[in-house]
């Protein structure tokens, strides 16, 4: 049985998430909450309100996924995440059927694993994260809460990523590197120990 899902945030990241959710077949998108109300619908799904409607929808037992992107700041994602947690909302964890996640790894609540992502053995991915298209998470990696690992980024074995961190497209880490919390790693960067 598919659960009804409400998306929060109606920008470009939302559009990419919709494609993953549709392929997943575990959730049916009920609608999108977007305070800017830029459009009436996004990819055919209606804008049904804004953040002020969260509590009403929690009471109706909908699940939620934050579809606000994270590049320079994840403040909006975190604010919504904590609001959802405070009202005991059900947070969806979405894994693309085109991704591989080792059964010996774990993915936190509210995290999305996009198409063609690889998460190898014994990795721990926190809550409210984005593992974006074609990122590679090798064995024994720890990604803390509220992080975005962008398209094509490679985190080699044993890397630790501090919370609230953005790792840009095609960035590559050396094995065992530690990335401090709240880091902004530019696209194409080689991350050393």
């Amino acid at each position: 049985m598919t659960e009804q899902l409400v998306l929060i945030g109606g920008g470009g990241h939302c559009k990419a998430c919709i494609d993953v959710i549709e392929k997943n077949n575990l959730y049916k998108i009920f609608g999108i909450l977007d305070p800017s109300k830029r459009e009436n619908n996004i990819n055919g799904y209606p804008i049904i309100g804004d953040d002020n409607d969260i509590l009403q929808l929690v009471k109706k037992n909908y699940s939620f996924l934050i579809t606000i992107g994270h590049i320079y700041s994840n403040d909006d994602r975190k604010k919504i995440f904590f609001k959802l947690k405070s009202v005991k909302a059900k947070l969806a964890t979405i894994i693309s059927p085109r991704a591989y996640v080792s059964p010996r790894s774990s993915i936190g609540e509210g995290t999305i694993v996009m198409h063609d992502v690889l998460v190898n053995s014994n990795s721990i991915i926190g809550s409210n994260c984005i593992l974006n298209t074609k990122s590679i998470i090798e064995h024994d990696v720890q990604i803390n809460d509220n992080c975005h690992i962008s398209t094509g980024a490679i985190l080699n074995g044993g890397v630790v990523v501090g919370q609230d961190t953005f790792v840009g497209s095609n960035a590559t880490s050396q094995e065992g590197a530690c990335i401090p919390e709240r880091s902004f790693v530019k696209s194409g960067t080689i991350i050393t120990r």
Side-chain angles (χ1 to χ4, degrees):
M1 181 176 164
T2 56
E3 289 191 45
Q4 295 285 314
L5 182 64
V6 174
L7 308 181
I8 303 176
H13 181 62
C14 178
K15 294 171 185 175
C17 289
I18 286 170
D19 284 347
V20 173
I21 295 161
E22 288 177 336
K23 296 280 187 250
N24 188 286
N25 293 324
L26 295 175
Y27 294 93
K28 181 177 179 188
I29 299 169
F30 176 72
I32 301 165
L33 300 179
D34 187 37
S36 70
K37 297 179 182 166
R38 296 170 273 229
E39 304 174 46
N40 292 329
N41 73 76
I42 295 168
N43 291 356
Y45 296 101
I47 303 298
I48 57 171
D50 58 30
D51 303 351
N52 296 316
D53 298 304
I54 288 173
L55 185 57
Q56 173 190 351
L57 293 165
V58 167
K59 290 177 181 176
K60 293 181 178 179
N61 209 31
Y62 290 105
S63 294
F64 294 84
L65 181 70
I66 301 167
T67 53
I68 299 167
H70 164 195
I71 298 178
Y72 296 107
S73 171
N74 67 352
D75 291 346
D76 291 338
R77 283 183 64 85
K78 283 177 60 177
K79 181 177 115 186
I80 297 296
F81 182 79
F82 292 126
K83 182 173 185 174
L84 290 167
K85 293 293 288 178
S86 73
V87 295
K88 298 182 175 30
K90 291 191 302 184
L91 291 162
T93 299
I94 305 292
I95 300 173
S96 166
R98 287 178 35 192
Y100 174 77
V101 176
S102 168
R104 293 177 179 85
S105 289
S106 64
I107 308 290
E109 65 181 344
T111 289
I112 186 162
V113 180
M114 306 293 277
H115 294 316
D116 303 323
V117 170
L118 172 68
V119 179
N120 261 332
S121 186
N122 298 94
S123 289
I124 300 169
I125 313 302
S127 298
N128 195 32
C129 291
I130 302 166
L131 299 185
N132 221 324
T133 308
K134 295 192 176 187
S135 57
I136 297 174
I137 313 303
E138 268 299 342
H139 64 87
D140 301 300
V141 169
Q142 179 180 339
I143 298 172
N144 287 287
D145 296 342
N146 311 308
C147 290
H148 180 175
I149 310 304
S150 196
T151 53
I154 300 172
L155 299 180
N156 281 300
V159 169
V160 176
V161 180
Q163 68 181 9
D164 303 322
T165 290
F166 173 83
V167 177
S169 297
N170 297 314
T172 302
S173 73
Q174 287 185 338
E175 187 172 343
C178 290
I179 303 171
E181 64 181 48
R182 302 184 195 287
S183 290
F184 180 85
V185 178
K186 292 182 181 178
S187 296
T189 298
I190 304 298
I191 305 162
T192 60
R193 293 176 191 257

